[in-house]
Amino acid sequence: MSNPANVKAALRSLEIETPSWAYGNSGTRFKVFAQAGVPRTPQEKIADAAQVHRFTGSAPSVALHIPWDRVDDFTELAKHAHDQGVRLGAINSNVFQDDDYKLGSVTNPDPRVRRKAVRHLLDCVDIMDATGSRDLKLWFSDGINYPGQDDLRDRQDRLAEALREVYDRLGPHQRMLLEYKLFEPAFYATDVPDWGTSYAHCVELGPRATVCIDTGHHAPGTNIEFIVAFLLRAGRLGAFDFNSRFYADDDLMAGAADPFQLFRIMYEIVRADALSSGIAFMLDQCHNIEAKVPAVIRSVLNVQEATAKALLVDRDALRAAQLEGDVLGANAVLMDAYNTDVRPLLAELRTEDGLDPDPVGAYRRSGYGERVVAERVGGQQAGWNA
Amino acid sequence: MSNPANVKAALRSLEIETPSWAYGNSGTRFKVFAQAGVPRTPQEKIADAAQVHRFTGSAPSVALHIPWDRVDDFTELAKHAHDQGVRLGAINSNVFQDDDYKLGSVTNPDPRVRRKAVRHLLDCVDIMDATGSRDLKLWFSDGINYPGQDDLRDRQDRLAEALREVYDRLGPHQRMLLEYKLFEPAFYATDVPDWGTSYAHCVELGPRATVCIDTGHHAPGTNIEFIVAFLLRAGRLGAFDFNSRFYADDDLMAGAADPFQLFRIMYEIVRADALSSGIAFMLDQCHNIEAKVPAVIRSVLNVQEATAKALLVDRDALRAAQLEGDVLGANAVLMDAYNTDVRPLLAELRTEDGLDPDPVGAYRRSGYGERVVAERVGGQQAGWNA
Amino acid sequence: MSNPANVKAALRSLEIETPSWAYGNSGTRFKVFAQAGVPRTPQEKIADAAQVHRFTGSAPSVALHIPWDRVDDFTELAKHAHDQGVRLGAINSNVFQDDDYKLGSVTNPDPRVRRKAVRHLLDCVDIMDATGSRDLKLWFSDGINYPGQDDLRDRQDRLAEALREVYDRLGPHQRMLLEYKLFEPAFYATDVPDWGTSYAHCVELGPRATVCIDTGHHAPGTNIEFIVAFLLRAGRLGAFDFNSRFYADDDLMAGAADPFQLFRIMYEIVRADALSSGIAFMLDQCHNIEAKVPAVIRSVLNVQEATAKALLVDRDALRAAQLEGDVLGANAVLMDAYNTDVRPLLAELRTEDGLDPDPVGAYRRSGYGERVVAERVGGQQAGWNA
Amino acid sequence: MSNPANVKAALRSLEIETPSWAYGNSGTRFKVFAQAGVPRTPQEKIADAAQVHRFTGSAPSVALHIPWDRVDDFTELAKHAHDQGVRLGAINSNVFQDDDYKLGSVTNPDPRVRRKAVRHLLDCVDIMDATGSRDLKLWFSDGINYPGQDDLRDRQDRLAEALREVYDRLGPHQRMLLEYKLFEPAFYATDVPDWGTSYAHCVELGPRATVCIDTGHHAPGTNIEFIVAFLLRAGRLGAFDFNSRFYADDDLMAGAADPFQLFRIMYEIVRADALSSGIAFMLDQCHNIEAKVPAVIRSVLNVQEATAKALLVDRDALRAAQLEGDVLGANAVLMDAYNTDVRPLLAELRTEDGLDPDPVGAYRRSGYGERVVAERVGGQQAGWNA
């Protein structure tokens, strides 16, 4: 793969989906700091996402979050996206912000609430039909805060029942992505805390149920690339929610906290020849204090750079060293790729593709940021509650 | 200390301060679930706190948070508290919710913002003068999200300068409590991340600067009772913010996640004869999904129970086993106290003191919860933003 | 279940298996501190284990470790155990102490080493035939220390192949217990790092492959009782290796670090009516600095006490509170059982069964410890390398 | 600093000390895998260390460990080192491998054992006098495994007393380096668990007591570069023990697990102009499965590369972005340096200095490894117990 032409071809096939909510305001429980120029509508979020694609050439789709991005006419919204040069991607459900969900959604002890939650999920599939989205992403905030608060096993039964109903509703070209998360907002136990739980439910459901790995949702010390390799082998890796974390689900820019980890993850993808095999490479980030569009651009670049390095690994030499038991030699082959500065290669690729070699600089020079600050006055800025 | 009379006397000396904000709404970044009957004013929060004291006999003071509890006349508020049977406790500053503090307060790179933050802290001391509070509690959300975002060392210089100005403003009977926190809302580095940082600044400041230990603010695996023992030995333990955590700063009820840890902490207090030596035993909790007043009562009882068990440790036997190097024997002495059911002893104590032996039940039977739900209609419920 | 007779009956059904290696010397990489009186042979280890059963009445079987406990005639060893009042339990394989296993055993890149490892596992099944053991416990130290050192996915293929061969060799009444471990002795990636990996392989293998949970083998913050509940629901919980940890795989006495966690684990067992349904409740501990036999007795008592508390949970009241969404009420039902001092109940049970109510004290008074110190002179003390 | 000549000059001033024990056998509690050609004597270890210096030009000194490296005549040993082209560095004490230290050394409840331990430390200072070493490195395995086993606070008193006696024995040009470690081999509490504890004792002792940061000795999530910055500001950073960890104190090659972290650490050094200000940059590693001499060479190169990147940071641009509050801009300045491939620069530097540009390759080509395998036959290989 060290052949530069092959590396470039592979990089051209890499598509990163950006999330509509990354363009809106976000924050911590302590404070949401509003930023000037933030979108007020799904259409404006899509416009921002289109800028990311315009300058990177690698972010052709936008994930939606329902109800934050609910519109009357999703077909219209899909057309709007198309006009902007992007397309609508995964539909993300939200069963955590209604007062009814205080003690859970699909695993709530109250059957009325469970029904309401499932109905929302089915609604999301209706929306997928309208938008042409392939993926339904399910993240459940469901869990409990105190030992004894609810029955851990009953909640699995309720979860399985809800997932079954939703899975059976999917069309033949639609998939379910089941995300897991160790904690937050539930603090003692979450109902899908780890990849094993997600995987077991997916296997029970059927082939179109796959696991979504959010890189910020693990216990300290978890080896994420192992999970990637394992799920690829089992044919159950559906998607990534890329972001960075130092401690918990910090939702920082992908590649910002541990670029070596991101490289190792992308290496497992490359090693399985899975760069363009249907895995959804999505970002799921919160730009609480930094400018949002350039932060998304930077994140896309970080994923690209990690992928480029992964593509540069001399796989023949690596395999030879591994099979010889040459610990230092095998590690050195991997590190040689990681230590390479791939920015010139990527700049070249962009130039060949008619893009500015410096996407962040080009975005800044475009004046888009200043323009939206001037234009987006009044109205209600988008955020997690809008 | 196994003498029941001595144990009871010691328990009577234990005073737990409850935080005004525990009575208001709280939540996670994902959702704040409002609860009926929640206070709308500092006065109503104090009324709720008074209920906790009424039924436990151990929670005679309420910590205030500025500006959440700002009133025109703090002397009046102190009188209101006194009329309710409680008193005003520590003043908690807030330099994290103004838009200016996006990149920090006292450590902000912008001197104008630093000045504003220091001014707020000085205002808090003015309020202490009015309320008669002894303790100024400083928690800084200051920190950075990305490597390089700001200079780690410059921020320490700015922090030291601000603390110095505030410390010098304190009256002779006032103290500074400097809290530390590993992360959140800053995700890469916080400016006071651990006890060592807080301790070093306190030593530099002077004798009335002491460390505040929030039991939820540590890295996984941190031995909190070691810190307690160390700071007691150094004369620098000023206060606790009790709460429970399974993962991060979950702010659950004290004693709910690891009651054995709480016991070990209280044992170090008892071992240092420091139950009534000026350490402020405060709660700092968020009751996101459970009823607030009974949750605070339960937390107070949990601290009481842990303390009672700590008082039951046969310290002579423990020391003898320790000095003999009898690992199992020494551990057994400690566990014997921990495994004791101290609820009958505490019930007896309450009965002797004219309290209901079952504070949670008595609170429920009192009808207070229903009454405030009926009465507190309209207005703006208190929360972290009000 | 609050009926004391039922609780006692359930406690009588609880059988805890102790590991032969807990009676030998153990330590850390820094130092193994030898203790006087430590067994020199498998027979002497079994004699020690028999003491634990003699005083607790709850530890009727001993797990063996091959080759540490290899003897010429295992039928004879089984008879020896029977004569001592215990029986032989699970066979634990060891594919980590031969120089050939430096880079792994069943996942080693070298097929010769893999074959050797599989042969050892098959030998262990032969031994099971001789001892009448039901369970083959597999723990693999396999893993890698450096990124790139070996291919994560190839190693899964090799693992699956080896497991298949061993599984197919099992007799109809024999089971495979597949243990997982996050790290140590491999430091970058282990080949069975978490329950999900173990579970996925077990499902692939067949119904007699089940997961073994070692309570010290998880990432910080892992909710172990969730895993217990999940595997019970899936019918794949085969065994526990009980021990305590504060940080890593510390192998301290069960219940010593977090007795509340042990209670929550046992509650999930009780809730699934699985106390005597074939799950192997084993200890896996290292008593590096404390006397070994009394440490094992203490550990057995700790598991018993946690189970007794779990049995005391008022499950009807708990379920009612859970279904009502009464967070505090449900938690209180659980905590009420946990806070109960069950030692009097257990003392009563022992007296009824003709045992001394105080097993640790009775053991000390028996003079066994002094006797073996006097008798076991000369020879090679047992340890991890013998 | 972006000036290449300045960068090279700074890199030339970087001296990395390698530990004698890295050249001997090491392992985990599960197994020590012996390697052919491993040194049998302190002299042979020094010969290996000299190879590292010969090929890197940056490792001019070797740390000794007493008693592992005890010889009759240390002056002679110093001369031997000099003849090999290196010098003797820090003296590392060992108070953890004598049977007497089962329950601690300087904090042991038994005063006889404490005395013995202090005497060993004083002996080490005598050795320093003979070797001309500046630094006495103290790492204590002291701690306890079970709550209650010993008194946390008494142990601090004993520690302080021992440190005082040793500190007072130091000559005017000698320093004490006090290392801290969260856990292992003690599992519940260690007596110097964190930098705060070490720092507080150092301040109490005097100016020549400084903190040693072992990069593998922290709780998960600890921000090590913060500690570096803090201790530099306080004038109390004495030394590093560099190595890598994924989970616990894994002692892998420096820079192997998180090269970005190593860069951030070295950046704080560069930012404080402290590359050649007396801080001892030492490695403390175990090469359990990989060839030892090339693993040490690789580690030295990793520290060099991280330092080179740190030197390339455009500090003026960084400061400007930081002061403007330009989060993304400041982060980008740092990342720009990190993403640079500094290997060509370092190759150039080596060529200018008469070294082979590829130290690992040159070492392999030198035949040294094969030669010592052939020569070092018979005798007792060095390891942690010899």
Side-chain angles (χ1 to χ4, degrees), chain C residues 150-346:
Chain C
D150 198 3
D151 188 84
L152 293 172
R153 187 165 164 173
D154 287 348
R155 291 176 79 93
Q156 289 299 312
D157 292 337
R158 298 171 197 148
L159 173 65
E161 190 183 325
L163 292 176
R164 167 56 60 199
E165 183 170 352
V166 176
Y167 185 84
D168 289 346
R169 162 68 183 82
L170 291 175
H173 302 300
Q174 291 174 336
R175 301 191 311 175
M176 175 186 283
L177 307 176
L178 183 53
E179 197 167 336
Y180 58 91
K181 185 174 186 184
L182 182 67
F183 82 102
E184 197 214 17
F187 292 130
Y188 162 60
T190 57
D191 293 318
V192 191
D194 54 18
W195 77 264
T197 305
S198 176
Y199 170 84
H201 280 287
C202 286
V203 167
E204 203 175 304
L205 287 168
R208 281 169 301 126
T210 57
V211 180
C212 174
I213 299 177
D214 184 304
T215 50
H217 287 190
H218 303 85
T222 302
N223 183 325
I224 300 177
E225 59 268 29
F226 174 88
I227 300 173
V228 173
F230 194 93
L231 289 175
L232 282 167
R233 181 178 177 272
R236 292 285 176 172
L237 178 56
F240 283 97
D241 269 5
F242 283 123
N243 53 58
S244 283
R245 60 83 69 92
F246 287 95
Y247 302 97
D249 186 32
D250 305 342
D251 281 333
L252 302 173
M253 299 188 296
D258 189 347
F260 183 40
Q261 182 188 60
L262 183 57
F263 160 75
R264 299 192 311 261
I265 289 172
M266 293 313 300
Y267 173 71
E268 292 303 325
I269 298 291
V270 167
R271 181 255 179 253
D273 299 319
L275 261 186
S276 45
S277 67
I279 295 167
F281 298 99
M282 303 186 286
L283 302 179
D284 181 10
Q285 305 181 162
C286 296
H287 307 297
N288 299 345
I289 59 168
E290 68 270 27
K292 293 165 197 294
V293 174
V296 180
I297 293 176
R298 166 53 57 208
S299 306
V300 169
L301 302 189
N302 285 350
V303 177
Q304 274 189 317
E305 291 174 18
T307 307
K309 290 179 178 196
L311 288 162
L312 288 177
V313 172
D314 184 336
R315 288 170 61 186
D316 292 337
L318 180 62
R319 172 150 298 235
Q322 289 172 342
L323 291 178
E324 280 169 31
D326 179 0
V327 176
L328 291 171
N331 176 248
V333 171
L334 198 79
M335 297 312 293
D336 185 37
Y338 178 67
N339 286 322
T340 302
D341 188 344
V342 294
R343 294 174 298 174
L345 173 78
L346 284 162

Side-chain angles (χ1 to χ4, degrees), chain D residues 24-39:
Chain D
N25 287 321
S26 61
T28 67
R29 59 172 168 150
F30 294 99
K31 173 73 175 168
V32 174
F33 294 101
Q35 295 190 12
V38 152

Side-chain angles (χ1 to χ4, degrees), chain B residues 103 109-110 145-154 156-158 160 182 188-197 199-201 203-204 219-223 225-227 229-230 232-234 260 264 267-268 271-272 318-319 321-328 330-332 334-335, chain D residues 103 109-110 145-154 156-158 160 182 188-197 199-201 203-204 219-223 225-227 229-230 232-234 260 264 267-268 271-272 318-319 321-328 330-332 334-335:
Chain B
L103 303 182
D110 182 343
N145 276 5
Y146 291 102
Q149 176 187 328
D150 199 2
D151 188 84
L152 293 172
R153 187 164 164 175
D154 286 348
Q156 290 299 313
D157 291 336
R158 298 171 198 149
L182 181 68
Y188 162 61
T190 57
D191 293 318
V192 191
D194 53 18
W195 78 264
T197 307
Y199 170 83
H201 280 287
V203 168
E204 202 175 305
T222 303
N223 184 325
E225 59 268 28
F226 174 89
I227 301 172
F230 194 94
L232 282 166
R233 180 176 178 274
F260 183 41
R264 299 192 310 259
Y267 173 70
E268 293 302 326
R271 181 255 181 256
L318 181 61
R319 172 150 299 236
Q322 289 172 341
L323 291 179
E324 283 169 30
D326 179 359
V327 176
L328 292 171
N331 175 248
L334 197 79
M335 297 312 291
Chain D
L103 302 182
D110 182 343
N145 276 4
Y146 291 103
Q149 175 187 328
D150 197 2
D151 188 84
L152 293 172
R153 189 164 163 174
D154 286 348
Q156 289 300 312
D157 291 337
R158 297 171 197 151
L182 181 68
Y188 162 60
T190 56
D191 293 318
V192 191
D194 53 18
W195 77 264
T197 306
Y199 170 83
H201 280 286
V203 168
E204 204 174 303
T222 302
N223 185 324
E225 59 269 28
F226 175 88
I227 300 172
F230 195 93
L232 282 166
R233 180 178 178 272
F260 183 41
R264 299 192 310 260
Y267 172 71
E268 292 303 325
R271 182 255 180 255
L318 181 62
R319 171 150 301 232
Q322 289 172 341
L323 291 178
E324 282 169 30
D326 179 1
V327 176
L328 292 171
N331 176 247
L334 197 79
M335 296 312 293

Side-chain angles (χ1 to χ4, degrees), chain A residues 103 109-110 146-154 156-158 160 182 188-197 199-201 203-204 219-223 225-227 229-230 232-233 260 264 267-268 271-272 318-319 321-328 330-331 334-335, chain C residues 103 109-110 146-154 156-158 160 182 188-197 199-201 203-204 219-223 225-227 229-230 232-233 260 264 267-268 271-272 318-319 321-328 330-331 334-335:
Chain A
L103 302 182
D110 183 342
Y146 292 102
Q149 176 189 326
D150 199 2
D151 188 85
L152 293 172
R153 187 163 163 175
D154 286 349
Q156 289 299 313
D157 291 337
R158 297 171 198 149
L182 182 67
Y188 161 61
T190 57
D191 293 319
V192 191
D194 53 18
W195 76 265
T197 306
Y199 170 83
H201 280 287
V203 168
E204 202 175 305
T222 301
N223 184 324
E225 59 268 29
F226 175 89
I227 301 173
F230 194 94
L232 282 167
R233 179 177 180 273
F260 183 40
R264 299 192 311 260
Y267 173 70
E268 292 302 325
R271 181 254 180 256
L318 180 62
R319 172 151 301 234
Q322 289 172 341
L323 291 179
E324 282 169 30
D326 179 359
V327 176
L328 291 171
N331 176 248
L334 197 79
M335 296 313 292
Chain C
L103 302 182
D110 183 343
Y146 291 102
Q149 177 189 327
D150 198 3
D151 188 84
L152 293 172
R153 187 165 164 173
D154 287 348
Q156 289 299 312
D157 292 337
R158 298 171 197 148
L182 182 67
Y188 162 60
T190 57
D191 293 318
V192 191
D194 54 18
W195 77 264
T197 305
Y199 170 84
H201 280 287
V203 167
E204 203 175 304
T222 302
N223 183 325
E225 59 268 29
F226 174 88
I227 300 173
F230 194 93
L232 282 167
R233 181 178 177 272
F260 183 40
R264 299 192 311 261
Y267 173 71
E268 292 303 325
R271 181 255 179 253
L318 180 62
R319 172 150 298 235
Q322 289 172 342
L323 291 178
E324 280 169 31
D326 179 0
V327 176
L328 291 171
N331 176 248
L334 198 79
M335 297 312 293

